[in-house]
Amino acid sequence: MKSVNSYSDDFKRKVASHYLGSDLSMAATAKLYGLKTPSSVQQWVKRFCPDQALPNDGTTKEPAPTVLPDSPEGMLARIRELESDLASEKLKNLAANKMIDIAERDLKINIRKKSGAKQSKK
Protein backbone atom coordinates (compact mmCIF):
# COMPACT_ATOMS: atom_id res chain seq x y z
CA MET A 1 0.00 0.00 0.00
CA LYS A 2 1.34 3.42 -0.93
CA SER A 3 1.77 6.07 1.70
CA VAL A 4 0.45 9.42 0.64
CA ASN A 5 2.08 12.58 1.93
CA SER A 6 -0.11 15.63 2.03
CA TYR A 7 1.58 19.00 1.97
CA SER A 8 0.09 22.37 2.72
CA ASP A 9 -0.51 24.81 -0.10
CA ASP A 10 2.00 27.19 1.51
CA PHE A 11 4.70 24.50 1.36
CA LYS A 12 3.84 23.72 -2.26
CA ARG A 13 4.03 27.43 -3.18
CA LYS A 14 7.37 27.71 -1.38
CA VAL A 15 8.82 24.74 -3.30
CA ALA A 16 7.47 26.01 -6.64
CA SER A 17 8.81 29.53 -6.11
CA HIS A 18 12.19 28.18 -4.91
CA TYR A 19 12.47 26.04 -8.05
CA LEU A 20 11.63 28.96 -10.35
CA GLY A 21 13.97 31.32 -8.51
CA SER A 22 16.99 29.01 -8.40
CA ASP A 23 19.19 27.19 -10.88
CA LEU A 24 18.41 23.80 -9.33
CA SER A 25 16.80 21.04 -11.35
CA MET A 26 13.45 19.54 -10.39
CA ALA A 27 15.20 16.48 -8.99
CA ALA A 28 17.57 18.60 -6.88
CA THR A 29 14.69 20.73 -5.61
CA ALA A 30 12.68 17.63 -4.73
CA LYS A 31 15.66 16.18 -2.88
CA LEU A 32 16.26 19.46 -1.05
CA TYR A 33 12.70 19.48 0.27
CA GLY A 34 12.51 15.73 0.91
CA LEU A 35 10.03 14.91 -1.84
CA LYS A 36 9.91 11.42 -3.29
CA THR A 37 9.32 12.43 -6.91
CA PRO A 38 10.48 15.43 -8.94
CA SER A 39 7.18 15.43 -10.81
CA SER A 40 5.55 16.89 -7.69
CA VAL A 41 7.61 20.04 -8.21
CA GLN A 42 6.47 20.26 -11.82
CA GLN A 43 2.80 19.81 -10.85
CA TRP A 44 3.05 22.46 -8.14
CA VAL A 45 4.72 24.94 -10.47
CA LYS A 46 1.95 24.43 -13.04
CA ARG A 47 -0.71 24.77 -10.33
CA PHE A 48 0.59 27.69 -8.30
CA CYS A 49 2.58 29.60 -10.92
CA PRO A 50 0.73 29.01 -14.20
CA ASP A 51 1.96 32.25 -15.75
CA GLN A 52 5.61 31.29 -15.17
CA ALA A 53 7.37 29.35 -17.89
CA LEU A 54 9.13 26.23 -16.68
CA PRO A 55 12.89 26.43 -17.15
CA ASN A 56 14.36 23.90 -19.54
CA ASP A 57 15.26 21.01 -17.24
CA GLY A 58 17.37 19.20 -19.82
CA THR A 59 14.54 16.82 -20.66
CA THR A 60 13.54 18.49 -23.90
CA LYS A 61 15.78 20.14 -26.36
CA GLU A 62 14.34 23.14 -28.10
CA PRO A 63 16.10 24.33 -31.22
CA ALA A 64 17.60 27.77 -31.02
CA PRO A 65 15.71 30.31 -33.09
CA THR A 66 17.42 31.08 -36.39
CA VAL A 67 18.25 34.71 -36.88
CA LEU A 68 18.22 35.68 -40.54
CA PRO A 69 20.92 38.16 -41.51
CA ASP A 70 19.87 41.44 -43.07
CA SER A 71 22.99 42.33 -45.01
CA PRO A 72 24.22 40.59 -48.16
CA GLU A 73 27.49 39.79 -46.42
CA GLY A 74 25.61 38.13 -43.59
CA MET A 75 23.55 36.16 -46.07
CA LEU A 76 26.68 34.96 -47.86
CA ALA A 77 28.22 33.91 -44.55
CA ARG A 78 25.03 32.02 -43.66
CA ILE A 79 25.03 30.29 -47.06
CA ARG A 80 28.67 29.23 -46.57
CA GLU A 81 27.83 27.92 -43.10
CA LEU A 82 24.88 25.92 -44.44
CA GLU A 83 26.94 24.54 -47.33
CA SER A 84 29.63 23.46 -44.86
CA ASP A 85 27.00 21.75 -42.69
CA LEU A 86 25.57 20.02 -45.76
CA ALA A 87 28.99 18.74 -46.82
CA SER A 88 29.59 17.42 -43.30
CA GLU A 89 26.24 15.62 -43.26
CA LYS A 90 26.93 14.12 -46.69
CA LEU A 91 30.22 12.71 -45.38
CA LYS A 92 28.47 11.27 -42.33
CA ASN A 93 25.85 9.66 -44.56
CA LEU A 94 28.53 8.22 -46.84
CA ALA A 95 30.41 6.80 -43.84
CA ALA A 96 27.24 5.24 -42.41
CA ASN A 97 26.33 3.65 -45.75
CA LYS A 98 29.87 2.31 -46.17
CA MET A 99 29.76 0.84 -42.65
CA ILE A 100 26.45 -0.88 -43.43
CA ASP A 101 27.88 -2.24 -46.71
CA ILE A 102 30.91 -3.68 -44.92
CA ALA A 103 28.79 -5.19 -42.15
CA GLU A 104 26.44 -6.82 -44.66
CA ARG A 105 29.38 -8.16 -46.67
CA ASP A 106 31.66 -9.36 -43.86
CA LEU A 107 29.11 -10.43 -41.25
CA LYS A 108 26.61 -11.68 -43.82
CA ILE A 109 23.64 -10.04 -42.14
CA ASN A 110 20.87 -8.07 -43.82
CA ILE A 111 20.60 -4.61 -42.33
CA ARG A 112 18.76 -2.64 -44.98
CA LYS A 113 15.06 -3.19 -45.45
CA LYS A 114 14.15 -5.02 -48.62
CA SER A 115 11.80 -3.20 -50.96
CA GLY A 116 8.59 -4.65 -52.32
CA ALA A 117 5.86 -6.83 -50.87
CA LYS A 118 7.90 -10.04 -50.73
CA GLN A 119 10.68 -9.73 -48.20
CA SER A 120 12.66 -12.91 -47.91
CA LYS A 121 13.85 -14.07 -44.53
CA LYS A 122 17.21 -15.74 -44.30
Side-chain angles (χ1 to χ4, degrees):
M1 211 168 162
K2 288 185 179 179
S3 64
V4 177
N5 293 333
S6 60
Y7 300 102
S8 69
D9 285 349
D10 290 334
F11 177 76
K12 293 176 183 179
R13 279 189 191 92
K14 180 180 176 183
V15 172
S17 64
H18 182 269
Y19 170 70
L20 290 172
S22 71
D23 290 336
L24 294 177
S25 66
M26 284 186 195
T29 304
K31 187 175 182 180
L32 178 69
Y33 285 97
L35 304 174
K36 292 182 180 178
T37 60
S39 62
S40 299
V41 177
Q42 181 180 14
Q43 292 170 356
W44 297 346
V45 168
K46 286 182 181 178
R47 181 174 170 200
F48 293 106
C49 307
D51 56 336
Q52 296 287 326
L54 285 173
N56 191 353
D57 205 24
T59 55
T60 59
K61 186 163 185 151
E62 297 178 13
T66 304
V67 178
L68 297 176
D70 293 334
S71 66
E73 295 83 18
M75 290 179 191
L76 284 174
R78 179 71 178 146
I79 289 171
R80 284 189 202 106
E81 177 186 347
L82 291 173
E83 286 175 343
S84 172
D85 290 347
L86 178 62
S88 174
E89 290 302 319
K90 283 182 177 180
L91 283 175
K92 287 179 186 177
N93 188 19
L94 180 66
N97 282 328
K98 192 60 139 174
M99 192 168 43
I100 291 171
D101 291 340
I102 292 170
E104 285 183 335
R105 183 191 70 213
D106 294 349
L107 301 175
K108 295 181 181 27
I109 55 173
N110 294 327
I111 296 174
R112 290 192 177 92
K113 183 177 178 180
K114 306 294 184 248
S115 62
K118 295 182 180 179
Q119 297 181 8
S120 63
K121 294 182 180 180
K122 288 187 176 182

